[in-house]
Amino acid sequence: MLTQYKAQSLIRHVERSWGFLEASLGEYVDVVPAQQQIGDGWYSGTANAVYQNLGILREARPDHVVVLGGDHVYKMDYSALLAEHAARDADLTVCCLEVALEEARDFGVMTVDDAQRIVAFEEKPDRPAPLRAARPTLASMGIYAFNADY
């Protein structure tokens, strides 16, 4: 867990809520405060936080990595996400939900093919494309699963 602001309350939440992980199985949450490993700046977003800590990630040698923004850190079982990710033999899985077109301007919007593979992405579009004719659009939840090697 890469922290930047108000880390203590987040650390406390993780300590109290994620105690179900089994260390003997290699399951853990590691809390990593911002270390400015690349340049003098703080994290400029989720992707930058991951980028600045790739060395720590590589050192851990995980099979999969789940990435979510700090506003998504809560007690949730991500095993269904990882199971679907593995079943599809995907390198990257993006969790999405259908939202009304008028709300889609606040999200990253996906276009997917018939196999549910992402073919286009647009960040907070002025005119989001509907998922299907006269339907909602598909918005990123900011939750991702990666094959670590990818």
Side-chain angles (χ1 to χ4, degrees):
M1 182 176 64
L2 309 174
T3 66
Q4 180 162 271
Y5 304 112
K6 299 182 180 180
Q8 185 54 43
S9 64
L10 190 55
I11 292 167
R12 184 179 305 120
H13 169 76
V14 169
E15 287 174 346
R16 294 178 181 171
S17 302
W18 290 69
F20 61 89
L21 297 174
E22 185 57 53
S24 66
L25 298 175
E27 299 176 340
Y28 63 93
V29 174
D30 200 3
V31 179
V32 180
Q35 300 176 56
Q36 298 170 306
Q37 294 193 43
I38 299 175
D40 294 332
W42 295 104
Y43 301 143
S44 60
T46 303
N48 181 258
V50 173
Y51 176 71
Q52 287 197 38
N53 290 281
L54 282 175
I56 293 170
L57 185 61
R58 288 182 180 119
E59 183 180 290
R61 303 185 63 186
D63 294 326
H64 299 95
V65 177
V66 176
V67 176
L68 39 142
D71 57 342
H72 293 291
V73 178
Y74 48 88
K75 193 170 185 177
M76 180 176 168
D77 182 357
Y78 291 101
S79 62
L81 164 63
L82 287 170
E84 183 71 15
H85 175 79
R88 290 179 174 264
D89 194 30
D91 287 322
L92 164 65
T93 299
V94 179
C95 296
C96 299
L97 65 134
E98 290 186 4
V99 299
L101 283 175
E102 55 273 7
E103 296 174 32
R105 288 190 277 288
D106 297 329
F107 299 95
V109 175
M110 307 290 155
T111 302
V112 296
D113 64 16
D114 291 338
Q116 298 297 305
R117 296 198 178 265
I118 298 168
V119 295
F121 172 82
E122 191 174 7
E123 182 65 26
K124 299 180 181 177
D126 289 331
R127 294 177 175 256
L131 183 58
R132 295 173 288 282
R135 299 299 283 240
T137 193
L138 201 56
S140 170
M141 295 172 64
I143 300 173
Y144 313 92
F146 291 87
N147 286 346
D149 289 340
Y150 179 73

